[in-house]
Amino acid sequence: MSKRIKVLGFGLTALAMCGLSYSAVVAEPNNNQLMIDGKKITTNVKAPKGSPFEKLYSGWRFRSAETQKLQSDDFENPGFPLVDLGTELWQKVDGSAGKSCASCHNDASKSMKGVRATMPKMHKEIGKVQSLQQHVNYCRTERMGAKAWKWESNQMLGMAAYVGLQSRGMPVNVKIDGPAKAAHDKGKKLYYTRVGQLDMSCAGCHEENFGKMIRADHLSQGQINGFPTYRFKWQKMGSVHRRFKGCMKNIRAKPYKVGSDEFVALELYVASRGKGLSVESPAVRN
Amino acid sequence: MALQFKTCGIVAVTALTALAVLTGGASAEAVKPGDVKITDGQLAKSLTGKAGDPVAGKKTFVGRKLGNCLACHVNKDTSKQQFHGEVGPALDGAASRYEPAALRAIIVNSKQVFGEQTLMPGFYREAGLNRVNKKFKGKTILSAQQVEDVLAYVLTLKK
């Protein structure tokens, strides 16, 4: 990390000495293509009708070639140790019912295929739109008689990444009508509401200024198709809600809680803004 | 991260120490954020009645935990600093484009100059904000004297 910063810093100084302007350094998303295991991952797609964007870009397009490369190889992707944990937990019997995930869902590569692309979605029994994590915990507590996993625990991140991986390459396509509409609208409102001492909204950075540098950071569209994501700054994998919290703290706002109705709603709305981008879980970001 | 107020501890500490020395007891007389009146995008009256210090102002301008103006703006004078933002316009020549009273108003509360939609935060306001983190509730981003100091620095940015 610090190495990368020094290199970049040197680059800026060198450019300054040549008399070029800083804004020439990085601006637009880059044109690199993401292939994993010979399979194309869509990181750029024409925006759907009603989108504030012309084109949608995955956050991958805004990262350095070095970071991008790590995500193109599962052996180098630092998110994979937790995927391995998720793989193990899928088979592991836990709780008073003596069941594992596999007892009900069998082969995850079939039963979980496409699931991540539609999350968050309505949970029939709970009666609300819920994130993948909440769907998992419902199975644990109600069907397995096991304890709920904490939102940001290795087990939950590992399971979310393992389930997410089964949809990798599939287009994000969340449902925002019918019973999901209220959550979508609530999320949209949160997205455009300015908060914090700095008085900014998500849109101020990720809609109006994506592609630009904000001090050391190259602003993306804030898409969530890659979550859970391994992030160098965290030195581990983290959830979408953790990322939302971080952005809110940066503008000195009081974040909502992970798993709160507010963050689930925001997650649904932000997911809908990425319609057509490939699921990338687990992505790698800086 | 974005507006990295966490790093640059040294800059922050230095600037704060400098500030304590410079302001002395003056802060007691500073205009309260609620009493500031921007009219027609102008704020002629100093917030402290004490001349701003451009050297302290530059530190506040650069400091990530202070003004962090470089998060969004570039200017040639600070080109030795790593990482300039591109979100706002370059500030070279700002003092030739605006009167001091307008620049003060922009720093104090840019929303009252550029309109509600601007991304630039107001550095000396506390009212009308949503969900401010407890640590910062009821506080302004910069103190009255820091605003005057940053203004003194921006006033050096002539064509």
Side-chain angles (χ1 to χ4, degrees), chain A residues 12 22-23 194 196-199 204 209 212-217 231 233 243 250 252-256, chain B residues 1-3 5 62 64 68 71 79 82-83 85-86 111 116 119 125 130-131 133 136 139-141:
Chain A
L12 286 176
Y22 309 96
S23 39
R194 292 203 309 260
Q197 193 192 35
L198 301 194
D199 202 27
N209 285 292
K212 293 187 186 157
M213 294 300 288
I214 186 161
R215 204 134 191 182
D217 292 300
R231 204 172 161 221
K233 194 191 161 201
R243 181 77 233 204
N250 279 324
R252 299 183 172 182
K254 182 175 171 219
Y256 297 98
Chain B
M1 254 315 299
L3 302 161
F5 294 91
V62 169
R64 290 176 191 245
N68 200 15
S79 60
Q82 276 185 16
F83 305 129
E86 309 171 315
K111 302 259 184 319
E116 281 297 311
L119 195 66
R125 65 177 285 211
N130 264 321
R131 282 192 82 82
N133 199 309
F136 303 102
K139 294 183 185 152
T140 54
I141 303 174

Side-chain angles (χ1 to χ4, degrees), chain A residues 102-213:
Chain A
S103 318
C104 294
H105 299 288
N106 304 311
D107 182 356
S109 72
K110 296 197 182 93
S111 63
M112 293 295 128
K113 194 175 166 124
V115 167
R116 166 65 176 81
T118 62
M119 289 287 178
K121 73 173 171 203
M122 199 63 196
H123 192 293
K124 268 199 226 101
E125 288 88 344
I126 298 174
K128 306 198 265 194
V129 171
Q130 297 276 270
S131 299
L132 175 59
Q133 286 85 342
Q134 290 154 321
H135 286 258
V136 168
N137 265 344
Y138 184 87
C139 283
R140 286 187 55 80
T141 57
E142 307 307 309
R143 299 184 172 123
M144 297 167 67
K147 262 174 58 186
W149 282 324
K150 288 216 171 72
W151 200 270
E152 222 51 49
S153 64
N154 283 344
Q155 291 104 315
M156 184 56 98
L157 289 165
M159 185 56 69
Y162 177 63
V163 171
L165 183 63
Q166 312 311 320
S167 304
R168 193 165 67 183
M170 294 176 72
V172 169
N173 190 13
V174 289
K175 222 173 151 39
I176 54 170
D177 55 359
K181 185 168 186 306
H184 166 273
D185 293 354
K186 178 180 174 146
K188 181 170 184 179
K189 187 154 173 248
L190 290 168
Y191 194 86
Y192 287 98
T193 303
R194 292 203 309 260
V195 291
Q197 193 192 35
L198 301 194
D199 202 27
M200 290 176 174
S201 69
C202 313
C205 287
H206 294 293
E207 182 173 314
E208 291 162 29
N209 285 292
F210 78 89
K212 293 187 186 157
M213 294 300 288

Side-chain angles (χ1 to χ4, degrees), chain A residues 9 31 39 43 60 98 111 164 167 205 225 236 275:
Chain A
N31 275 322
K39 223 170 107 190
T43 53
W60 187 84
S111 63
S167 304
C205 287
N225 52 312
K236 80 176 285 209
K275 188 181 157 117

